[in-house]
Amino acid sequence: MDLTTLQPLQSLILCGDGYFNHSNPSRFISKQKYLKVLHLGFYMSNIEFKISKQLRYLYLHNSTVKTLPESTSSLLNLQTLSLKDCGSLKMLPKGTKNLKNLRYLDIRGCHTLTSMPVALGQLSFLRKLSIFILGKKDGCGIDELKELALEGELSIKGLTNVKSAMEAKMANLIKKHNLRSLSLSWQGNRNENSHHQNDEEVLLCSLTSFNLEEVTHNWLPRFDVSVLDDGSASTKPC
């Protein structure tokens, strides 16, 4: 199939193997000025192209891409960035905070992703964030969640970087009434047999959210998390 014979498109879905395994469609894509939906399949191992400024939805499911071009940060109309099961992805664009219209960021299954770009808290329209990985740098802390009106499911990883209960409260989870499922992970660079003196306090402060239907955590085996009838959460020794 010769992509160059196609008329200007608003939606483009390329997936599977065959012809596209041996061709680079980036030149064709870069010429699509009116493209609003772009779905690239697992065959893409490297992405080097300019994307339409009108793009609203970008899907890269099951791709072997390791990094996204920094030009992705210039997609000011982008509303959905779905990178589900991109197992080789190591980092998101540094300028992700510039995607002011972004509403949905899905990085489930991106197992090699170990940090988030700085200042994601500036994405005021963001409603669904599948995973947030806490870091030690300024702009990568739990306080970036404070002003985000998140909905649905949220997994917070790297809670070893939260030093106190007061810092945990900065996530402002109590105001996120549309959050239904919360997963907490303390995995990090420390001895698995050690026990941070503030872990229980951080856990409790992280659970001060109404309407939660499910809570899971992986670091405190001595504590069982229960969701009460009023939607709040409690912990008790196992």
Side-chain angles (χ1 to χ4, degrees):
M1 178 180 179
D2 186 359
L3 291 176
T4 60
T5 62
L6 298 177
Q7 296 297 317
L9 303 173
Q10 290 191 3
S11 299
L12 178 61
I13 300 175
L14 299 177
C15 56
D17 50 17
Y19 172 85
F20 298 116
N21 266 335
H22 308 288
S23 300
N24 186 353
S26 61
R27 181 177 300 179
F28 170 77
I29 294 173
S30 66
K31 295 180 179 180
Q32 299 303 308
K33 297 181 180 180
Y34 306 105
L35 198 62
K36 294 183 178 180
V37 179
L38 178 59
H39 189 155
L40 298 178
F42 61 86
Y43 67 91
M44 293 293 289
S45 60
N46 192 21
I47 300 177
E48 294 181 359
F49 52 78
K50 295 180 180 179
I51 313 175
S52 167
K53 301 296 183 181
Q54 301 300 318
L55 200 65
R56 303 290 198 276
Y57 306 95
L58 177 57
Y59 300 88
L60 296 174
H61 295 181
N62 298 297
S63 173
T64 55
V65 62
K66 295 182 179 180
T67 60
L68 295 178
E70 194 58 38
S71 59
T72 306
S73 302
S74 65
L75 300 174
L76 302 184
N77 290 307
L78 194 67
Q79 297 179 10
T80 294
L81 178 56
S82 186
L83 305 169
K84 185 180 178 182
D85 295 326
C86 291
S88 299
L89 186 68
K90 297 183 180 298
M91 62 183 298
L92 296 172
K94 294 180 180 179
T96 301
K97 64 181 181 181
N98 297 323
L99 300 175
K100 301 301 184 181
N101 286 299
L102 194 65
R103 288 158 169 77
Y104 183 34
L105 176 58
D106 189 358
I107 52 174
R108 290 174 296 171
C110 298
H111 303 300
T112 58
L113 190 65
T114 58
S115 63
M116 306 295 286
V118 299
L120 286 189
Q122 296 182 17
L123 300 177
S124 58
F125 287 109
L126 192 63
R127 293 296 177 266
K128 292 189 176 182
L129 176 63
S130 57
I131 299 172
F132 186 78
I133 306 171
L134 301 179
K136 297 180 180 179
K137 296 181 180 179
D138 291 341
C140 296
I142 198 168
D143 56 319
E144 291 299 316
L145 299 175
K146 182 177 181 179
E147 301 297 333
L148 299 181
L150 298 177
E151 305 171 354
E153 301 178 0
L154 172 64
S155 175
I156 303 177
K157 297 185 177 182
L159 281 165
T160 49
N161 292 314
V162 178
K163 298 180 177 61
S164 67
M166 183 175 295
E167 186 177 346
K169 289 181 179 179
M170 296 179 70
N172 203 24
L173 292 178
I174 195 172
K175 296 290 183 67
K176 304 187 192 311
H177 301 291
N178 293 318
L179 202 60
R180 294 292 182 265
S181 176
L182 180 64
S183 175
L184 305 172
S185 173
W186 273 259
Q187 288 180 342
N189 296 323
R190 68 174 181 176
N191 191 314
E192 290 187 359
N193 295 321
S194 68
H195 180 67
H196 196 288
Q197 62 180 357
N198 293 318
D199 279 349
E200 291 95 338
E201 294 180 358
V202 170
L203 174 61
L204 289 170
C205 290
S206 298
L207 297 180
T208 53
S209 175
F210 300 110
N211 300 323
L212 284 174
E213 297 175 357
E214 180 182 7
V215 179
T216 59
H217 66 93
N218 77 329
W219 187 254
L220 299 174
R222 298 188 299 106
F223 282 80
D224 173 53
V225 178
S226 301
V227 179
L228 305 180
D229 292 338
D230 63 359
S232 61
S234 68
T235 63
K236 61 182 179 181
C238 294

PDB file of all heavy atoms in Angstrom, residues 150-154 176-182 209-215 227 231:
ATOM      1  N   LEU A 150      -8.584  14.608  39.701  1.00  0.00           N
ATOM      2  CA  LEU A 150      -8.462  13.294  39.076  1.00  0.00           C
ATOM      3  C   LEU A 150      -9.700  12.434  39.313  1.00  0.00           C
ATOM      4  O   LEU A 150     -10.377  12.551  40.334  1.00  0.00           O
ATOM      5  CB  LEU A 150      -7.219  12.581  39.605  1.00  0.00           C
ATOM      6  CG  LEU A 150      -5.888  13.279  39.301  1.00  0.00           C
ATOM      7  CD1 LEU A 150      -4.735  12.524  39.940  1.00  0.00           C
ATOM      8  CD2 LEU A 150      -5.676  13.410  37.799  1.00  0.00           C
ATOM      9  N   GLU A 151      -9.953  11.538  38.348  1.00  0.00           N
ATOM     10  CA  GLU A 151     -11.104  10.645  38.402  1.00  0.00           C
ATOM     11  C   GLU A 151     -10.665   9.205  38.173  1.00  0.00           C
ATOM     12  O   GLU A 151      -9.585   8.948  37.649  1.00  0.00           O
ATOM     13  CB  GLU A 151     -12.123  11.038  37.317  1.00  0.00           C
ATOM     14  CG  GLU A 151     -12.579  12.478  37.369  1.00  0.00           C
ATOM     15  CD  GLU A 151     -13.415  12.865  36.162  1.00  0.00           C
ATOM     16  OE1 GLU A 151     -13.525  12.024  35.230  1.00  0.00           O
ATOM     17  OE2 GLU A 151     -13.947  13.979  36.141  1.00  0.00           O
ATOM     18  N   GLY A 152     -11.527   8.272  38.559  1.00  0.00           N
ATOM     19  CA  GLY A 152     -11.302   6.866  38.232  1.00  0.00           C
ATOM     20  C   GLY A 152     -10.205   6.225  39.055  1.00  0.00           C
ATOM     21  O   GLY A 152     -10.233   6.254  40.280  1.00  0.00           O
ATOM     22  N   GLU A 153      -9.207   5.665  38.379  1.00  0.00           N
ATOM     23  CA  GLU A 153      -8.148   4.909  39.032  1.00  0.00           C
ATOM     24  C   GLU A 153      -6.841   5.692  39.044  1.00  0.00           C
ATOM     25  O   GLU A 153      -6.504   6.371  38.081  1.00  0.00           O
ATOM     26  CB  GLU A 153      -7.933   3.575  38.313  1.00  0.00           C
ATOM     27  CG  GLU A 153      -9.166   2.688  38.266  1.00  0.00           C
ATOM     28  CD  GLU A 153      -8.923   1.399  37.503  1.00  0.00           C
ATOM     29  OE1 GLU A 153      -7.783   1.213  37.011  1.00  0.00           O
ATOM     30  OE2 GLU A 153      -9.851   0.588  37.396  1.00  0.00           O
ATOM     31  N   LEU A 154      -6.113   5.561  40.151  1.00  0.00           N
ATOM     32  CA  LEU A 154      -4.810   6.209  40.273  1.00  0.00           C
ATOM     33  C   LEU A 154      -3.865   5.294  41.033  1.00  0.00           C
ATOM     34  O   LEU A 154      -4.213   4.755  42.085  1.00  0.00           O
ATOM     35  CB  LEU A 154      -4.930   7.547  41.009  1.00  0.00           C
ATOM     36  CG  LEU A 154      -3.609   8.243  41.383  1.00  0.00           C
ATOM     37  CD1 LEU A 154      -2.830   8.630  40.134  1.00  0.00           C
ATOM     38  CD2 LEU A 154      -3.872   9.460  42.257  1.00  0.00           C
ATOM     39  N   LYS A 176     -10.556  14.874  46.143  1.00  0.00           N
ATOM     40  CA  LYS A 176     -10.728  14.170  44.865  1.00  0.00           C
ATOM     41  C   LYS A 176     -11.905  13.196  44.983  1.00  0.00           C
ATOM     42  O   LYS A 176     -11.738  11.978  45.072  1.00  0.00           O
ATOM     43  CB  LYS A 176      -9.423  13.472  44.481  1.00  0.00           C
ATOM     44  CG  LYS A 176      -8.246  14.454  44.428  1.00  0.00           C
ATOM     45  CD  LYS A 176      -7.003  13.823  43.900  1.00  0.00           C
ATOM     46  CE  LYS A 176      -5.790  14.715  44.123  1.00  0.00           C
ATOM     47  NZ  LYS A 176      -5.952  16.110  43.707  1.00  0.00           N
ATOM     48  N   HIS A 177     -13.104  13.739  44.946  1.00  0.00           N
ATOM     49  CA  HIS A 177     -14.312  12.962  45.209  1.00  0.00           C
ATOM     50  C   HIS A 177     -14.634  11.965  44.104  1.00  0.00           C
ATOM     51  O   HIS A 177     -15.429  11.045  44.314  1.00  0.00           O
ATOM     52  CB  HIS A 177     -15.495  13.908  45.407  1.00  0.00           C
ATOM     53  CG  HIS A 177     -15.306  14.880  46.528  1.00  0.00           C
ATOM     54  ND1 HIS A 177     -15.289  14.491  47.849  1.00  0.00           N
ATOM     55  CD2 HIS A 177     -15.094  16.229  46.527  1.00  0.00           C
ATOM     56  CE1 HIS A 177     -15.099  15.548  48.620  1.00  0.00           C
ATOM     57  NE2 HIS A 177     -14.969  16.615  47.844  1.00  0.00           N
ATOM     58  N   ASN A 178     -14.059  12.135  42.929  1.00  0.00           N
ATOM     59  CA  ASN A 178     -14.350  11.231  41.817  1.00  0.00           C
ATOM     60  C   ASN A 178     -13.306  10.131  41.660  1.00  0.00           C
ATOM     61  O   ASN A 178     -13.347   9.374  40.697  1.00  0.00           O
ATOM     62  CB  ASN A 178     -14.460  12.027  40.514  1.00  0.00           C
ATOM     63  CG  ASN A 178     -15.660  12.947  40.507  1.00  0.00           C
ATOM     64  OD1 ASN A 178     -16.744  12.563  40.944  1.00  0.00           O
ATOM     65  ND2 ASN A 178     -15.482  14.170  40.030  1.00  0.00           N
ATOM     66  N   LEU A 179     -12.386  10.061  42.614  1.00  0.00           N
ATOM     67  CA  LEU A 179     -11.384   8.999  42.597  1.00  0.00           C
ATOM     68  C   LEU A 179     -12.004   7.743  43.192  1.00  0.00           C
ATOM     69  O   LEU A 179     -12.548   7.767  44.295  1.00  0.00           O
ATOM     70  CB  LEU A 179     -10.164   9.430  43.414  1.00  0.00           C
ATOM     71  CG  LEU A 179      -8.832   8.731  43.131  1.00  0.00           C
ATOM     72  CD1 LEU A 179      -8.418   8.941  41.685  1.00  0.00           C
ATOM     73  CD2 LEU A 179      -7.760   9.254  44.072  1.00  0.00           C
ATOM     74  N   ARG A 180     -11.948   6.631  42.447  1.00  0.00           N
ATOM     75  CA  ARG A 180     -12.611   5.401  42.876  1.00  0.00           C
ATOM     76  C   ARG A 180     -11.637   4.319  43.346  1.00  0.00           C
ATOM     77  O   ARG A 180     -11.961   3.520  44.211  1.00  0.00           O
ATOM     78  CB  ARG A 180     -13.459   4.848  41.721  1.00  0.00           C
ATOM     79  CG  ARG A 180     -14.628   5.752  41.336  1.00  0.00           C
ATOM     80  CD  ARG A 180     -15.676   5.783  42.448  1.00  0.00           C
ATOM     81  NE  ARG A 180     -16.829   6.611  42.095  1.00  0.00           N
ATOM     82  CZ  ARG A 180     -16.966   7.877  42.430  1.00  0.00           C
ATOM     83  NH1 ARG A 180     -16.002   8.469  43.128  1.00  0.00           N
ATOM     84  NH2 ARG A 180     -18.030   8.572  42.100  1.00  0.00           N
ATOM     85  N   SER A 181     -10.468   4.267  42.742  1.00  0.00           N
ATOM     86  CA  SER A 181      -9.508   3.214  43.067  1.00  0.00           C
ATOM     87  C   SER A 181      -8.129   3.832  43.262  1.00  0.00           C
ATOM     88  O   SER A 181      -7.687   4.648  42.451  1.00  0.00           O
ATOM     89  CB  SER A 181      -9.467   2.167  41.950  1.00  0.00           C
ATOM     90  OG  SER A 181      -8.467   1.192  42.201  1.00  0.00           O
ATOM     91  N   LEU A 182      -7.464   3.446  44.350  1.00  0.00           N
ATOM     92  CA  LEU A 182      -6.156   4.001  44.673  1.00  0.00           C
ATOM     93  C   LEU A 182      -5.184   2.875  44.993  1.00  0.00           C
ATOM     94  O   LEU A 182      -5.456   2.020  45.834  1.00  0.00           O
ATOM     95  CB  LEU A 182      -6.265   4.943  45.875  1.00  0.00           C
ATOM     96  CG  LEU A 182      -4.975   5.609  46.358  1.00  0.00           C
ATOM     97  CD1 LEU A 182      -4.411   6.531  45.283  1.00  0.00           C
ATOM     98  CD2 LEU A 182      -5.229   6.390  47.641  1.00  0.00           C
ATOM     99  N   SER A 209      -9.456   9.999  51.417  1.00  0.00           N
ATOM    100  CA  SER A 209     -10.220  10.341  50.221  1.00  0.00           C
ATOM    101  C   SER A 209     -11.601   9.719  50.317  1.00  0.00           C
ATOM    102  O   SER A 209     -11.746   8.561  50.691  1.00  0.00           O
ATOM    103  CB  SER A 209      -9.502   9.827  48.969  1.00  0.00           C
ATOM    104  OG  SER A 209     -10.278  10.052  47.828  1.00  0.00           O
ATOM    105  N   PHE A 210     -12.628  10.472  50.002  1.00  0.00           N
ATOM    106  CA  PHE A 210     -13.984   9.961  50.036  1.00  0.00           C
ATOM    107  C   PHE A 210     -14.290   9.193  48.754  1.00  0.00           C
ATOM    108  O   PHE A 210     -13.674   9.401  47.727  1.00  0.00           O
ATOM    109  CB  PHE A 210     -14.973  11.114  50.199  1.00  0.00           C
ATOM    110  CG  PHE A 210     -14.762  11.906  51.449  1.00  0.00           C
ATOM    111  CD1 PHE A 210     -14.270  13.192  51.384  1.00  0.00           C
ATOM    112  CD2 PHE A 210     -15.035  11.353  52.686  1.00  0.00           C
ATOM    113  CE1 PHE A 210     -14.068  13.934  52.533  1.00  0.00           C
ATOM    114  CE2 PHE A 210     -14.842  12.090  53.840  1.00  0.00           C
ATOM    115  CZ  PHE A 210     -14.352  13.379  53.770  1.00  0.00           C
ATOM    116  N   ASN A 211     -15.286   8.291  48.842  1.00  0.00           N
ATOM    117  CA  ASN A 211     -15.832   7.577  47.687  1.00  0.00           C
ATOM    118  C   ASN A 211     -14.896   6.523  47.108  1.00  0.00           C
ATOM    119  O   ASN A 211     -15.148   6.014  46.024  1.00  0.00           O
ATOM    120  CB  ASN A 211     -16.225   8.556  46.568  1.00  0.00           C
ATOM    121  CG  ASN A 211     -17.270   9.552  47.029  1.00  0.00           C
ATOM    122  OD1 ASN A 211     -18.161   9.205  47.800  1.00  0.00           O
ATOM    123  ND2 ASN A 211     -17.152  10.783  46.569  1.00  0.00           N
ATOM    124  N   LEU A 212     -13.806   6.196  47.797  1.00  0.00           N
ATOM    125  CA  LEU A 212     -12.935   5.138  47.300  1.00  0.00           C
ATOM    126  C   LEU A 212     -13.660   3.801  47.364  1.00  0.00           C
ATOM    127  O   LEU A 212     -14.299   3.464  48.352  1.00  0.00           O
ATOM    128  CB  LEU A 212     -11.650   5.059  48.133  1.00  0.00           C
ATOM    129  CG  LEU A 212     -10.596   6.134  47.877  1.00  0.00           C
ATOM    130  CD1 LEU A 212      -9.457   5.992  48.883  1.00  0.00           C
ATOM    131  CD2 LEU A 212     -10.054   6.029  46.466  1.00  0.00           C
ATOM    132  N   GLU A 213     -13.554   3.029  46.292  1.00  0.00           N
ATOM    133  CA  GLU A 213     -14.160   1.707  46.249  1.00  0.00           C
ATOM    134  C   GLU A 213     -13.116   0.611  46.419  1.00  0.00           C
ATOM    135  O   GLU A 213     -13.436  -0.505  46.796  1.00  0.00           O
ATOM    136  CB  GLU A 213     -14.898   1.517  44.918  1.00  0.00           C
ATOM    137  CG  GLU A 213     -16.062   2.494  44.735  1.00  0.00           C
ATOM    138  CD  GLU A 213     -16.704   2.382  43.366  1.00  0.00           C
ATOM    139  OE1 GLU A 213     -16.199   1.579  42.551  1.00  0.00           O
ATOM    140  OE2 GLU A 213     -17.685   3.087  43.108  1.00  0.00           O
ATOM    141  N   GLU A 214     -11.858   0.939  46.130  1.00  0.00           N
ATOM    142  CA  GLU A 214     -10.803  -0.065  46.227  1.00  0.00           C
ATOM    143  C   GLU A 214      -9.488   0.610  46.591  1.00  0.00           C
ATOM    144  O   GLU A 214      -9.149   1.658  46.058  1.00  0.00           O
ATOM    145  CB  GLU A 214     -10.643  -0.808  44.898  1.00  0.00           C
ATOM    146  CG  GLU A 214      -9.555  -1.873  44.916  1.00  0.00           C
ATOM    147  CD  GLU A 214      -9.403  -2.548  43.568  1.00  0.00           C
ATOM    148  OE1 GLU A 214     -10.040  -2.099  42.606  1.00  0.00           O
ATOM    149  OE2 GLU A 214      -8.633  -3.521  43.493  1.00  0.00           O
ATOM    150  N   VAL A 215      -8.771   0.014  47.533  1.00  0.00           N
ATOM    151  CA  VAL A 215      -7.458   0.516  47.934  1.00  0.00           C
ATOM    152  C   VAL A 215      -6.504  -0.661  48.013  1.00  0.00           C
ATOM    153  O   VAL A 215      -6.816  -1.686  48.614  1.00  0.00           O
ATOM    154  CB  VAL A 215      -7.507   1.220  49.309  1.00  0.00           C
ATOM    155  CG1 VAL A 215      -6.115   1.694  49.701  1.00  0.00           C
ATOM    156  CG2 VAL A 215      -8.473   2.385  49.287  1.00  0.00           C
ATOM    157  N   VAL A 227     -12.179  -0.480  53.085  1.00  0.00           N
ATOM    158  CA  VAL A 227     -13.004   0.650  52.671  1.00  0.00           C
ATOM    159  C   VAL A 227     -14.306   0.590  53.451  1.00  0.00           C
ATOM    160  O   VAL A 227     -15.020  -0.406  53.426  1.00  0.00           O
ATOM    161  CB  VAL A 227     -13.283   0.605  51.158  1.00  0.00           C
ATOM    162  CG1 VAL A 227     -14.169   1.772  50.747  1.00  0.00           C
ATOM    163  CG2 VAL A 227     -11.976   0.644  50.383  1.00  0.00           C
ATOM    164  N   GLY A 231     -17.379   5.196  52.334  1.00  0.00           N
ATOM    165  CA  GLY A 231     -16.459   5.421  51.227  1.00  0.00           C
ATOM    166  C   GLY A 231     -15.063   5.781  51.662  1.00  0.00           C
ATOM    167  O   GLY A 231     -14.148   5.807  50.849  1.00  0.00           O
TER     168      GLY A 231
END
